Amino acid sequence: MKLQNIFDKNKEWVQSKLDIDEDYFKNLSKGQSPEILYIGCSDSRVTAEELMGVSPGDAFVHRNIANMVPNTDLSAMSVIDYALTHLKVKHVVVCGHYYCGGVKAAMQSADLGILNPWLRNIRDVYRIHRDELNAIENEDERYNRLVELNVQEQCVNVIKTSQYQKAFADRQVVVHGWVFDIHSGKLIDLKIDFEDKLKDIQEIYRIS
Ligand code: CO
């Protein structure tokens, strides 16, 4: 890939937007009021806006290795705070994907240096759901299930935050767990019952 091509493509993209609406960028510069906070994986194959078919301004996006929401990660926590408290998004999406290298790495016993503490969060998910996962004999199926359970646990991590608990009390912000299937291109809604999860975890994590 030649980097100059990127600038050429950018020029074409700017023109294509202006052809439809000459004020497109003028309006874009006025501010943002996205309805969705999307938390996804950094994987180059799993785009955020493109796979959802949304435009600039529609989604506030946070991506990291394996779409994690670690409780002490300043970056993820700041994004959640800004999206819920200031942008007042209506939906929080955690989107994982099958064939996730981060999840795969957490299923193996290799020492990956600085990645160890990050992947340990996924190993924690495995430990919590060890019985279910160990009962799956097929390794690919076990891997896919861990991807889904990791999404579920990261949704729980969103629900644990004071920002989310306040946003739910104020305006019933919804949390969604999705998986992108790279093999088919389809987005799958895991239909996580977040209200049930909220009730369940508030026994321990209630803030207020
Ligand atoms: Co991934």
PDB file of all heavy atoms in Angstrom, residues 169-201:
ATOM      1  N   ALA A 169     -30.361   4.939  35.160  1.00  0.00           N
ATOM      2  CA  ALA A 169     -31.392   5.505  36.042  1.00  0.00           C
ATOM      3  C   ALA A 169     -32.032   6.751  35.406  1.00  0.00           C
ATOM      4  O   ALA A 169     -33.241   6.948  35.488  1.00  0.00           O
ATOM      5  CB  ALA A 169     -30.778   5.856  37.398  1.00  0.00           C
ATOM      6  N   ASP A 170     -31.211   7.561  34.730  1.00  0.00           N
ATOM      7  CA  ASP A 170     -31.713   8.809  34.136  1.00  0.00           C
ATOM      8  C   ASP A 170     -32.517   8.583  32.866  1.00  0.00           C
ATOM      9  O   ASP A 170     -33.537   9.214  32.633  1.00  0.00           O
ATOM     10  CB  ASP A 170     -30.538   9.740  33.758  1.00  0.00           C
ATOM     11  CG  ASP A 170     -29.858  10.306  34.991  1.00  0.00           C
ATOM     12  OD1 ASP A 170     -30.411  10.158  36.091  1.00  0.00           O
ATOM     13  OD2 ASP A 170     -28.754  10.881  34.836  1.00  0.00           O
ATOM     14  N   ARG A 171     -31.994   7.709  31.986  1.00  0.00           N
ATOM     15  CA  ARG A 171     -32.632   7.621  30.664  1.00  0.00           C
ATOM     16  C   ARG A 171     -32.549   6.241  30.024  1.00  0.00           C
ATOM     17  O   ARG A 171     -32.576   6.097  28.815  1.00  0.00           O
ATOM     18  CB  ARG A 171     -32.056   8.695  29.725  1.00  0.00           C
ATOM     19  CG  ARG A 171     -30.556   8.735  29.646  1.00  0.00           C
ATOM     20  CD  ARG A 171     -30.042   9.885  28.771  1.00  0.00           C
ATOM     21  NE  ARG A 171     -28.754   9.557  28.218  1.00  0.00           N
ATOM     22  CZ  ARG A 171     -27.613   9.551  28.922  1.00  0.00           C
ATOM     23  NH1 ARG A 171     -27.606   9.868  30.186  1.00  0.00           N
ATOM     24  NH2 ARG A 171     -26.480   9.225  28.330  1.00  0.00           N
ATOM     25  N   GLN A 172     -32.470   5.220  30.843  1.00  0.00           N
ATOM     26  CA  GLN A 172     -32.539   3.818  30.388  1.00  0.00           C
ATOM     27  C   GLN A 172     -31.617   3.506  29.203  1.00  0.00           C
ATOM     28  O   GLN A 172     -32.045   2.951  28.189  1.00  0.00           O
ATOM     29  CB  GLN A 172     -33.989   3.415  30.026  1.00  0.00           C
ATOM     30  CG  GLN A 172     -34.888   3.155  31.214  1.00  0.00           C
ATOM     31  CD  GLN A 172     -35.300   4.467  31.902  1.00  0.00           C
ATOM     32  OE1 GLN A 172     -35.806   5.363  31.242  1.00  0.00           O
ATOM     33  NE2 GLN A 172     -35.068   4.579  33.192  1.00  0.00           N
ATOM     34  N   VAL A 173     -30.371   3.893  29.341  1.00  0.00           N
ATOM     35  CA  VAL A 173     -29.396   3.580  28.284  1.00  0.00           C
ATOM     36  C   VAL A 173     -29.241   2.053  28.180  1.00  0.00           C
ATOM     37  O   VAL A 173     -29.140   1.366  29.198  1.00  0.00           O
ATOM     38  CB  VAL A 173     -28.032   4.234  28.601  1.00  0.00           C
ATOM     39  CG1 VAL A 173     -26.960   3.761  27.624  1.00  0.00           C
ATOM     40  CG2 VAL A 173     -28.161   5.756  28.559  1.00  0.00           C
ATOM     41  N   VAL A 174     -29.247   1.561  26.960  1.00  0.00           N
ATOM     42  CA  VAL A 174     -29.234   0.116  26.716  1.00  0.00           C
ATOM     43  C   VAL A 174     -27.809  -0.365  26.410  1.00  0.00           C
ATOM     44  O   VAL A 174     -27.058   0.334  25.723  1.00  0.00           O
ATOM     45  CB  VAL A 174     -30.153  -0.229  25.515  1.00  0.00           C
ATOM     46  CG1 VAL A 174     -30.224  -1.735  25.304  1.00  0.00           C
ATOM     47  CG2 VAL A 174     -31.540   0.362  25.715  1.00  0.00           C
ATOM     48  N   VAL A 175     -27.452  -1.539  26.933  1.00  0.00           N
ATOM     49  CA  VAL A 175     -26.158  -2.154  26.611  1.00  0.00           C
ATOM     50  C   VAL A 175     -26.405  -3.351  25.686  1.00  0.00           C
ATOM     51  O   VAL A 175     -27.298  -4.166  25.954  1.00  0.00           O
ATOM     52  CB  VAL A 175     -25.422  -2.640  27.878  1.00  0.00           C
ATOM     53  CG1 VAL A 175     -24.124  -3.357  27.513  1.00  0.00           C
ATOM     54  CG2 VAL A 175     -25.107  -1.468  28.800  1.00  0.00           C
ATOM     55  N   HIS A 176     -25.630  -3.422  24.606  1.00  0.00           N
ATOM     56  CA  HIS A 176     -25.792  -4.507  23.638  1.00  0.00           C
ATOM     57  C   HIS A 176     -24.487  -5.280  23.490  1.00  0.00           C
ATOM     58  O   HIS A 176     -23.413  -4.672  23.440  1.00  0.00           O
ATOM     59  CB  HIS A 176     -26.143  -3.956  22.254  1.00  0.00           C
ATOM     60  CG  HIS A 176     -27.299  -3.006  22.238  1.00  0.00           C
ATOM     61  ND1 HIS A 176     -28.581  -3.408  21.979  1.00  0.00           N
ATOM     62  CD2 HIS A 176     -27.348  -1.674  22.467  1.00  0.00           C
ATOM     63  CE1 HIS A 176     -29.378  -2.346  22.039  1.00  0.00           C
ATOM     64  NE2 HIS A 176     -28.669  -1.282  22.331  1.00  0.00           N
ATOM     65  N   GLY A 177     -24.579  -6.594  23.384  1.00  0.00           N
ATOM     66  CA  GLY A 177     -23.418  -7.429  23.101  1.00  0.00           C
ATOM     67  C   GLY A 177     -23.575  -8.026  21.713  1.00  0.00           C
ATOM     68  O   GLY A 177     -24.553  -8.733  21.439  1.00  0.00           O
ATOM     69  N   TRP A 178     -22.645  -7.706  20.845  1.00  0.00           N
ATOM     70  CA  TRP A 178     -22.705  -8.193  19.468  1.00  0.00           C
ATOM     71  C   TRP A 178     -21.424  -8.957  19.125  1.00  0.00           C
ATOM     72  O   TRP A 178     -20.373  -8.755  19.737  1.00  0.00           O
ATOM     73  CB  TRP A 178     -22.807  -7.028  18.469  1.00  0.00           C
ATOM     74  CG  TRP A 178     -24.041  -6.184  18.550  1.00  0.00           C
ATOM     75  CD1 TRP A 178     -25.184  -6.437  19.261  1.00  0.00           C
ATOM     76  CD2 TRP A 178     -24.255  -4.919  17.899  1.00  0.00           C
ATOM     77  NE1 TRP A 178     -26.093  -5.413  19.081  1.00  0.00           N
ATOM     78  CE2 TRP A 178     -25.550  -4.467  18.251  1.00  0.00           C
ATOM     79  CE3 TRP A 178     -23.477  -4.120  17.049  1.00  0.00           C
ATOM     80  CZ2 TRP A 178     -26.074  -3.265  17.789  1.00  0.00           C
ATOM     81  CZ3 TRP A 178     -24.001  -2.927  16.584  1.00  0.00           C
ATOM     82  CH2 TRP A 178     -25.289  -2.511  16.945  1.00  0.00           C
ATOM     83  N   VAL A 179     -21.545  -9.816  18.097  1.00  0.00           N
ATOM     84  CA  VAL A 179     -20.353 -10.474  17.556  1.00  0.00           C
ATOM     85  C   VAL A 179     -20.377 -10.317  16.042  1.00  0.00           C
ATOM     86  O   VAL A 179     -21.415 -10.511  15.403  1.00  0.00           O
ATOM     87  CB  VAL A 179     -20.316 -11.983  17.924  1.00  0.00           C
ATOM     88  CG1 VAL A 179     -19.176 -12.677  17.177  1.00  0.00           C
ATOM     89  CG2 VAL A 179     -20.108 -12.175  19.428  1.00  0.00           C
ATOM     90  N   PHE A 180     -19.233  -9.935  15.489  1.00  0.00           N
ATOM     91  CA  PHE A 180     -19.097  -9.846  14.039  1.00  0.00           C
ATOM     92  C   PHE A 180     -18.472 -11.153  13.569  1.00  0.00           C
ATOM     93  O   PHE A 180     -17.406 -11.555  14.060  1.00  0.00           O
ATOM     94  CB  PHE A 180     -18.207  -8.652  13.669  1.00  0.00           C
ATOM     95  CG  PHE A 180     -17.927  -8.524  12.197  1.00  0.00           C
ATOM     96  CD1 PHE A 180     -18.933  -8.183  11.307  1.00  0.00           C
ATOM     97  CD2 PHE A 180     -16.648  -8.739  11.700  1.00  0.00           C
ATOM     98  CE1 PHE A 180     -18.679  -8.058   9.944  1.00  0.00           C
ATOM     99  CE2 PHE A 180     -16.377  -8.611  10.344  1.00  0.00           C
ATOM    100  CZ  PHE A 180     -17.395  -8.267   9.463  1.00  0.00           C
ATOM    101  N   ASP A 181     -19.168 -11.832  12.639  1.00  0.00           N
ATOM    102  CA  ASP A 181     -18.655 -13.092  12.115  1.00  0.00           C
ATOM    103  C   ASP A 181     -17.864 -12.805  10.842  1.00  0.00           C
ATOM    104  O   ASP A 181     -18.454 -12.589   9.776  1.00  0.00           O
ATOM    105  CB  ASP A 181     -19.823 -14.048  11.831  1.00  0.00           C
ATOM    106  CG  ASP A 181     -19.327 -15.391  11.310  1.00  0.00           C
ATOM    107  OD1 ASP A 181     -18.092 -15.616  11.286  1.00  0.00           O
ATOM    108  OD2 ASP A 181     -20.179 -16.213  10.910  1.00  0.00           O
ATOM    109  N   ILE A 182     -16.545 -12.767  10.960  1.00  0.00           N
ATOM    110  CA  ILE A 182     -15.700 -12.417   9.804  1.00  0.00           C
ATOM    111  C   ILE A 182     -15.961 -13.370   8.636  1.00  0.00           C
ATOM    112  O   ILE A 182     -15.924 -12.980   7.475  1.00  0.00           O
ATOM    113  CB  ILE A 182     -14.199 -12.491  10.198  1.00  0.00           C
ATOM    114  CG1 ILE A 182     -13.872 -11.397  11.208  1.00  0.00           C
ATOM    115  CG2 ILE A 182     -13.305 -12.334   8.974  1.00  0.00           C
ATOM    116  CD1 ILE A 182     -12.409 -11.277  11.546  1.00  0.00           C
ATOM    117  N   HIS A 183     -16.276 -14.609   8.940  1.00  0.00           N
ATOM    118  CA  HIS A 183     -16.453 -15.634   7.908  1.00  0.00           C
ATOM    119  C   HIS A 183     -17.649 -15.361   7.004  1.00  0.00           C
ATOM    120  O   HIS A 183     -17.655 -15.731   5.825  1.00  0.00           O
ATOM    121  CB  HIS A 183     -16.610 -16.998   8.593  1.00  0.00           C
ATOM    122  CG  HIS A 183     -16.290 -18.154   7.711  1.00  0.00           C
ATOM    123  ND1 HIS A 183     -17.257 -18.955   7.151  1.00  0.00           N
ATOM    124  CD2 HIS A 183     -15.093 -18.628   7.274  1.00  0.00           C
ATOM    125  CE1 HIS A 183     -16.679 -19.873   6.412  1.00  0.00           C
ATOM    126  NE2 HIS A 183     -15.372 -19.698   6.469  1.00  0.00           N
ATOM    127  N   SER A 184     -18.686 -14.696   7.549  1.00  0.00           N
ATOM    128  CA  SER A 184     -19.885 -14.405   6.739  1.00  0.00           C
ATOM    129  C   SER A 184     -20.129 -12.908   6.588  1.00  0.00           C
ATOM    130  O   SER A 184     -20.940 -12.480   5.762  1.00  0.00           O
ATOM    131  CB  SER A 184     -21.118 -15.053   7.394  1.00  0.00           C
ATOM    132  OG  SER A 184     -21.407 -14.398   8.627  1.00  0.00           O
ATOM    133  N   GLY A 185     -19.451 -12.098   7.395  1.00  0.00           N
ATOM    134  CA  GLY A 185     -19.682 -10.644   7.352  1.00  0.00           C
ATOM    135  C   GLY A 185     -20.875 -10.216   8.180  1.00  0.00           C
ATOM    136  O   GLY A 185     -21.193  -9.027   8.255  1.00  0.00           O
ATOM    137  N   LYS A 186     -21.562 -11.197   8.781  1.00  0.00           N
ATOM    138  CA  LYS A 186     -22.791 -10.867   9.513  1.00  0.00           C
ATOM    139  C   LYS A 186     -22.528 -10.406  10.941  1.00  0.00           C
ATOM    140  O   LYS A 186     -21.629 -10.901  11.617  1.00  0.00           O
ATOM    141  CB  LYS A 186     -23.727 -12.075   9.542  1.00  0.00           C
ATOM    142  CG  LYS A 186     -24.387 -12.315   8.204  1.00  0.00           C
ATOM    143  CD  LYS A 186     -25.394 -13.433   8.261  1.00  0.00           C
ATOM    144  CE  LYS A 186     -25.988 -13.632   6.867  1.00  0.00           C
ATOM    145  NZ  LYS A 186     -26.567 -14.960   6.703  1.00  0.00           N
ATOM    146  N   LEU A 187     -23.394  -9.483  11.373  1.00  0.00           N
ATOM    147  CA  LEU A 187     -23.362  -8.995  12.742  1.00  0.00           C
ATOM    148  C   LEU A 187     -24.412  -9.783  13.520  1.00  0.00           C
ATOM    149  O   LEU A 187     -25.565  -9.895  13.092  1.00  0.00           O
ATOM    150  CB  LEU A 187     -23.723  -7.503  12.699  1.00  0.00           C
ATOM    151  CG  LEU A 187     -23.266  -6.560  13.797  1.00  0.00           C
ATOM    152  CD1 LEU A 187     -21.792  -6.706  14.111  1.00  0.00           C
ATOM    153  CD2 LEU A 187     -23.584  -5.124  13.378  1.00  0.00           C
ATOM    154  N   ILE A 188     -24.020 -10.347  14.658  1.00  0.00           N
ATOM    155  CA  ILE A 188     -24.939 -11.184  15.439  1.00  0.00           C
ATOM    156  C   ILE A 188     -25.209 -10.500  16.776  1.00  0.00           C
ATOM    157  O   ILE A 188     -24.282 -10.097  17.475  1.00  0.00           O
ATOM    158  CB  ILE A 188     -24.298 -12.575  15.690  1.00  0.00           C
ATOM    159  CG1 ILE A 188     -24.037 -13.275  14.352  1.00  0.00           C
ATOM    160  CG2 ILE A 188     -25.183 -13.434  16.601  1.00  0.00           C
ATOM    161  CD1 ILE A 188     -22.973 -14.345  14.429  1.00  0.00           C
ATOM    162  N   ASP A 189     -26.490 -10.354  17.102  1.00  0.00           N
ATOM    163  CA  ASP A 189     -26.874  -9.774  18.393  1.00  0.00           C
ATOM    164  C   ASP A 189     -26.965 -10.910  19.409  1.00  0.00           C
ATOM    165  O   ASP A 189     -27.762 -11.837  19.243  1.00  0.00           O
ATOM    166  CB  ASP A 189     -28.229  -9.067  18.247  1.00  0.00           C
ATOM    167  CG  ASP A 189     -28.629  -8.329  19.523  1.00  0.00           C
ATOM    168  OD1 ASP A 189     -27.947  -8.476  20.554  1.00  0.00           O
ATOM    169  OD2 ASP A 189     -29.643  -7.602  19.468  1.00  0.00           O
ATOM    170  N   LEU A 190     -26.143 -10.863  20.456  1.00  0.00           N
ATOM    171  CA  LEU A 190     -26.153 -11.936  21.467  1.00  0.00           C
ATOM    172  C   LEU A 190     -27.371 -11.825  22.387  1.00  0.00           C
ATOM    173  O   LEU A 190     -27.602 -12.703  23.230  1.00  0.00           O
ATOM    174  CB  LEU A 190     -24.863 -11.905  22.294  1.00  0.00           C
ATOM    175  CG  LEU A 190     -23.555 -12.171  21.527  1.00  0.00           C
ATOM    176  CD1 LEU A 190     -22.371 -12.037  22.471  1.00  0.00           C
ATOM    177  CD2 LEU A 190     -23.559 -13.554  20.879  1.00  0.00           C
ATOM    178  N   LYS A 191     -28.134 -10.751  22.206  1.00  0.00           N
ATOM    179  CA  LYS A 191     -29.367 -10.534  22.982  1.00  0.00           C
ATOM    180  C   LYS A 191     -29.124 -10.694  24.495  1.00  0.00           C
ATOM    181  O   LYS A 191     -29.824 -11.447  25.177  1.00  0.00           O
ATOM    182  CB  LYS A 191     -30.481 -11.471  22.494  1.00  0.00           C
ATOM    183  CG  LYS A 191     -30.907 -11.213  21.057  1.00  0.00           C
ATOM    184  CD  LYS A 191     -32.189 -11.932  20.749  1.00  0.00           C
ATOM    185  CE  LYS A 191     -32.800 -11.713  19.401  1.00  0.00           C
ATOM    186  NZ  LYS A 191     -32.116 -11.091  18.328  1.00  0.00           N
ATOM    187  N   ILE A 192     -28.149  -9.984  24.963  1.00  0.00           N
ATOM    188  CA  ILE A 192     -27.828 -10.022  26.391  1.00  0.00           C
ATOM    189  C   ILE A 192     -28.901  -9.264  27.164  1.00  0.00           C
ATOM    190  O   ILE A 192     -29.257  -8.138  26.802  1.00  0.00           O
ATOM    191  CB  ILE A 192     -26.425  -9.400  26.634  1.00  0.00           C
ATOM    192  CG1 ILE A 192     -25.364 -10.359  26.084  1.00  0.00           C
ATOM    193  CG2 ILE A 192     -26.196  -9.113  28.116  1.00  0.00           C
ATOM    194  CD1 ILE A 192     -23.998  -9.762  25.966  1.00  0.00           C
ATOM    195  N   ASP A 193     -29.442  -9.904  28.179  1.00  0.00           N
ATOM    196  CA  ASP A 193     -30.473  -9.256  29.005  1.00  0.00           C
ATOM    197  C   ASP A 193     -29.762  -8.353  30.016  1.00  0.00           C
ATOM    198  O   ASP A 193     -29.474  -8.748  31.137  1.00  0.00           O
ATOM    199  CB  ASP A 193     -31.326 -10.322  29.710  1.00  0.00           C
ATOM    200  CG  ASP A 193     -32.522  -9.699  30.424  1.00  0.00           C
ATOM    201  OD1 ASP A 193     -32.473  -8.472  30.682  1.00  0.00           O
ATOM    202  OD2 ASP A 193     -33.475 -10.425  30.728  1.00  0.00           O
ATOM    203  N   PHE A 194     -29.486  -7.113  29.583  1.00  0.00           N
ATOM    204  CA  PHE A 194     -28.651  -6.231  30.404  1.00  0.00           C
ATOM    205  C   PHE A 194     -29.374  -5.789  31.677  1.00  0.00           C
ATOM    206  O   PHE A 194     -28.744  -5.519  32.694  1.00  0.00           O
ATOM    207  CB  PHE A 194     -28.180  -5.015  29.589  1.00  0.00           C
ATOM    208  CG  PHE A 194     -29.262  -4.039  29.281  1.00  0.00           C
ATOM    209  CD1 PHE A 194     -29.412  -2.898  30.045  1.00  0.00           C
ATOM    210  CD2 PHE A 194     -30.144  -4.276  28.259  1.00  0.00           C
ATOM    211  CE1 PHE A 194     -30.436  -1.996  29.792  1.00  0.00           C
ATOM    212  CE2 PHE A 194     -31.168  -3.392  27.994  1.00  0.00           C
ATOM    213  CZ  PHE A 194     -31.320  -2.256  28.750  1.00  0.00           C
ATOM    214  N   GLU A 195     -30.727  -5.714  31.623  1.00  0.00           N
ATOM    215  CA  GLU A 195     -31.462  -5.296  32.831  1.00  0.00           C
ATOM    216  C   GLU A 195     -31.341  -6.373  33.904  1.00  0.00           C
ATOM    217  O   GLU A 195     -31.221  -6.078  35.091  1.00  0.00           O
ATOM    218  CB  GLU A 195     -32.923  -5.009  32.490  1.00  0.00           C
ATOM    219  CG  GLU A 195     -33.078  -3.707  31.712  1.00  0.00           C
ATOM    220  CD  GLU A 195     -34.523  -3.275  31.572  1.00  0.00           C
ATOM    221  OE1 GLU A 195     -35.079  -2.769  32.563  1.00  0.00           O
ATOM    222  OE2 GLU A 195     -35.090  -3.464  30.480  1.00  0.00           O
ATOM    223  N   ASP A 196     -31.373  -7.622  33.456  1.00  0.00           N
ATOM    224  CA  ASP A 196     -31.205  -8.744  34.368  1.00  0.00           C
ATOM    225  C   ASP A 196     -29.778  -8.722  34.953  1.00  0.00           C
ATOM    226  O   ASP A 196     -29.585  -8.899  36.153  1.00  0.00           O
ATOM    227  CB  ASP A 196     -31.457 -10.042  33.577  1.00  0.00           C
ATOM    228  CG  ASP A 196     -31.458 -11.253  34.486  1.00  0.00           C
ATOM    229  OD1 ASP A 196     -32.240 -11.234  35.453  1.00  0.00           O
ATOM    230  OD2 ASP A 196     -30.668 -12.178  34.246  1.00  0.00           O
ATOM    231  N   LYS A 197     -28.799  -8.456  34.070  1.00  0.00           N
ATOM    232  CA  LYS A 197     -27.397  -8.372  34.517  1.00  0.00           C
ATOM    233  C   LYS A 197     -27.217  -7.219  35.505  1.00  0.00           C
ATOM    234  O   LYS A 197     -26.514  -7.336  36.498  1.00  0.00           O
ATOM    235  CB  LYS A 197     -26.460  -8.144  33.329  1.00  0.00           C
ATOM    236  CG  LYS A 197     -26.361  -9.315  32.379  1.00  0.00           C
ATOM    237  CD  LYS A 197     -25.040 -10.047  32.562  1.00  0.00           C
ATOM    238  CE  LYS A 197     -24.931 -11.253  31.660  1.00  0.00           C
ATOM    239  NZ  LYS A 197     -25.677 -12.410  32.127  1.00  0.00           N
ATOM    240  N   LEU A 198     -27.875  -6.093  35.209  1.00  0.00           N
ATOM    241  CA  LEU A 198     -27.765  -4.922  36.080  1.00  0.00           C
ATOM    242  C   LEU A 198     -28.292  -5.261  37.472  1.00  0.00           C
ATOM    243  O   LEU A 198     -27.632  -4.983  38.478  1.00  0.00           O
ATOM    244  CB  LEU A 198     -28.555  -3.751  35.468  1.00  0.00           C
ATOM    245  CG  LEU A 198     -28.571  -2.440  36.255  1.00  0.00           C
ATOM    246  CD1 LEU A 198     -27.182  -1.811  36.305  1.00  0.00           C
ATOM    247  CD2 LEU A 198     -29.542  -1.443  35.625  1.00  0.00           C
ATOM    248  N   LYS A 199     -29.468  -5.887  37.499  1.00  0.00           N
ATOM    249  CA  LYS A 199     -30.055  -6.288  38.785  1.00  0.00           C
ATOM    250  C   LYS A 199     -29.123  -7.234  39.523  1.00  0.00           C
ATOM    251  O   LYS A 199     -28.872  -7.099  40.717  1.00  0.00           O
ATOM    252  CB  LYS A 199     -31.400  -7.004  38.527  1.00  0.00           C
ATOM    253  CG  LYS A 199     -32.602  -6.105  38.790  1.00  0.00           C
ATOM    254  CD  LYS A 199     -33.880  -6.893  38.613  1.00  0.00           C
ATOM    255  CE  LYS A 199     -34.764  -6.209  37.588  1.00  0.00           C
ATOM    256  NZ  LYS A 199     -35.675  -7.090  36.896  1.00  0.00           N
ATOM    257  N   ASP A 200     -28.590  -8.192  38.778  1.00  0.00           N
ATOM    258  CA  ASP A 200     -27.732  -9.213  39.351  1.00  0.00           C
ATOM    259  C   ASP A 200     -26.463  -8.603  39.954  1.00  0.00           C
ATOM    260  O   ASP A 200     -26.087  -8.918  41.083  1.00  0.00           O
ATOM    261  CB  ASP A 200     -27.371 -10.221  38.238  1.00  0.00           C
ATOM    262  CG  ASP A 200     -26.528 -11.358  38.772  1.00  0.00           C
ATOM    263  OD1 ASP A 200     -26.869 -11.887  39.847  1.00  0.00           O
ATOM    264  OD2 ASP A 200     -25.526 -11.711  38.124  1.00  0.00           O
ATOM    265  N   ILE A 201     -25.832  -7.701  39.205  1.00  0.00           N
ATOM    266  CA  ILE A 201     -24.546  -7.192  39.700  1.00  0.00           C
ATOM    267  C   ILE A 201     -24.701  -6.033  40.673  1.00  0.00           C
ATOM    268  O   ILE A 201     -23.785  -5.732  41.424  1.00  0.00           O
ATOM    269  CB  ILE A 201     -23.581  -6.815  38.571  1.00  0.00           C
ATOM    270  CG1 ILE A 201     -24.057  -5.582  37.837  1.00  0.00           C
ATOM    271  CG2 ILE A 201     -23.326  -7.967  37.625  1.00  0.00           C
ATOM    272  CD1 ILE A 201     -22.935  -4.929  37.091  1.00  0.00           C
TER     273      ILE A 201
END
